[in-house]
Amino acid sequence: MCIERCPHGSGGSGPVRGCLPHDLEVQVSQLRLLKSNHQSEQYRLEDKARKWIPERIADTSDRIIRLEADLKTLEAHPIANAEDYSITINGTEYHKREAAGEAIKAFMDAHRGQKDVSLGEYRGFPLIFEELPFFGEQELVVRGKLTYKFDLGDDSRGNTIRLDNALGNIMKHFDQSRASLADLKQQLEDIKTQIGKPFPKAEELAEKEKRLVELTAKLRDDQQPTEIADNTPAAQPPPHEHRRSLGRER
């Protein structure tokens, strides 16, 4: 039996007929791997749509609610100009940034090595001082519906500016969270359109699997040994030998 090799090689998607079993086996194996990858991707998408993205949406929605509440707290305690500045540190109210900065620095020095110590209040938010273990870094924590942290430094006035920046970033966090929520919802819709899609090369795989079975069976049948009947006539003695034997019988 003469069988030509596949013109498209072992990885091609061309005609199935005319392929050697080995070439077809390689193509079937590759297609089965693609099918397995497709199924794994389907499982991953289903898991994201069922659990991961909904959880992220819930967390982000909750974060937006908390950020919005903190923004309302800021709006209720505005600082329109320098004269409106007011911060309470260790029970004392300050209206000058320089004095407030010095009070924060003195509080830092007096509470080294301590954690979760109430420092005061600013624009409706409790302020908490803490020193990180091992590293010795000191942080100021603004506690609203969410927590906002920043490192304290040696510059007294700089610490008050960092505090304002931390509160000023709440709006940025709010906008970023809203954008993230919209993106997550779009991801969920896109994933839903991908879930349930069949393997795009299912027909090609089925055809090649069927052809491989047929071709393998055909080659197996052709390789079976065939018994050949021996039709050679039995050997006869030469004529003169036959006459001689007849003479002796007489």
Side-chain angles (χ1 to χ4, degrees):
M1 178 180 181
C2 178
I3 304 176
E4 295 181 355
R5 188 173 295 274
C6 290
H8 294 275
S10 61
S13 58
V16 177
R17 299 187 181 279
C19 294
L20 287 171
H22 173 71
D23 299 313
L24 205 50
E25 285 176 354
V26 172
Q27 293 183 33
V28 168
S29 295
Q30 291 176 338
L31 287 170
R32 285 174 176 170
L33 178 61
L34 290 175
K35 181 180 179 180
S36 177
N37 293 339
H38 173 78
Q39 291 173 335
S40 296
E41 178 65 10
Q42 285 290 307
Y43 295 145
R44 188 184 69 84
L45 292 175
E46 290 172 0
D47 185 64
K48 288 186 70 174
R50 183 182 64 254
K51 182 179 179 181
W52 188 79
I53 291 184
E55 288 179 352
R56 291 285 304 278
I57 288 176
D59 291 343
T60 305
S61 298
D62 180 70
R63 178 178 174 82
I64 289 172
I65 292 173
R66 292 171 181 270
L67 286 166
E68 191 170 20
D70 287 343
L71 285 173
K72 290 180 179 179
T73 300
L74 282 179
E75 292 174 359
H77 301 80
I79 296 181
N81 49 57
E83 286 71 23
D84 294 332
Y85 186 81
S86 176
I87 183 172
T88 300
I89 300 172
N90 200 23
T92 302
E93 188 172 353
Y94 296 87
H95 297 279
K96 298 293 183 180
R97 287 185 179 274
E98 291 77 5
E102 291 298 331
I104 292 174
K105 186 68 172 60
F107 191 93
M108 293 166 53
D109 294 337
H111 294 82
R112 289 193 177 276
Q114 298 184 34
K115 186 176 181 180
D116 203 25
V117 182
S118 176
L119 184 147
E121 183 179 315
Y122 182 56
R123 296 189 68 180
F125 293 95
L127 304 178
I128 307 299
F129 168 83
E130 61 180 26
E131 184 170 306
L132 301 179
F134 306 112
F135 302 102
E137 295 178 353
Q138 296 175 314
E139 289 185 337
L140 188 61
V141 181
V142 181
R143 285 186 179 169
K145 295 300 182 181
L146 290 179
T147 298
Y148 314 93
K149 297 182 179 182
F150 64 92
D151 293 336
L152 292 167
D154 294 330
D155 183 359
S156 298
R157 183 178 175 83
N159 287 328
T160 63
I161 294 174
R162 294 188 187 96
L163 175 57
D164 282 328
N165 290 339
L167 295 179
N169 285 333
I170 294 178
M171 178 57 77
K172 183 175 71 174
H173 297 321
F174 178 74
D175 291 338
Q176 290 174 341
S177 295
R178 291 181 62 184
S180 296
L181 181 61
D183 181 64
L184 286 167
K185 289 181 176 180
Q186 185 60 52
Q187 285 185 47
L188 184 58
E189 292 303 315
D190 293 342
I191 286 175
K192 287 180 178 179
T193 64
Q194 297 298 319
I195 292 176
K197 281 191 173 182
F199 177 50
K201 295 188 176 183
E203 292 184 5
E204 180 183 350
L205 174 59
E207 179 187 358
K208 290 186 175 181
E209 286 179 328
K210 179 181 178 182
R211 178 57 182 158
L212 180 61
V213 172
E214 294 172 349
L215 187 57
T216 302
K218 178 66 174 174
L219 290 176
R220 187 183 302 114
D221 292 341
D222 290 347
Q223 291 171 0
Q224 292 292 332
T226 304
E227 295 184 1
I228 301 176
D230 188 359
N231 297 323
T232 305
Q236 300 294 329
H240 62 278
E241 291 292 339
H242 180 62
R243 287 195 297 269
R244 187 181 303 166
S245 62
L246 289 175
R248 284 198 295 271
E249 292 175 359
R250 292 192 186 109

